[in-house]
Amino acid sequence: QARQADLPHLHAFTRGLDDDRAAVHAALTLPFHNGGTEGVNTKTTMIKRQMYGRTGSALLRHHILLG
């Protein structure tokens, strides 16, 4: 149905799924995930935005390590 619909963005998405079928299958069937890593990245980005323009990387590192 997605391939027959008149939605070019949906066609690009389904082509991407087809191109990387092995990765899609692994993501749906294996118990591994990168949720912890994504959480750390999100937290770091939030801290950087809160501190924007206030300080350099030394204090940012300090906040990340203590947070």
Side-chain angles (χ1 to χ4, degrees):
Q1 289 177 339
R3 287 184 181 90
Q4 294 171 357
D6 186 24
L7 301 168
H9 293 7
L10 190 57
H11 293 175
F13 176 71
T14 57
R15 272 194 308 276
L17 291 177
D18 287 339
D19 290 346
D20 209 358
R21 188 177 296 268
V24 172
H25 182 265
L28 296 174
T29 58
L30 297 176
F32 310 110
H33 60 84
N34 65 345
T37 304
E38 289 299 324
V40 170
N41 290 344
T42 301
K43 181 179 177 183
T44 303
T45 301
M46 180 194 66
I47 293 170
K48 283 173 56 177
R49 287 182 179 152
Q50 288 174 343
M51 297 176 57
Y52 180 76
R54 294 190 187 143
T55 185
S57 60
L59 188 58
L60 175 62
R61 182 175 185 269
H62 182 73
H63 274 274
I64 291 170
L65 293 176
L66 292 179

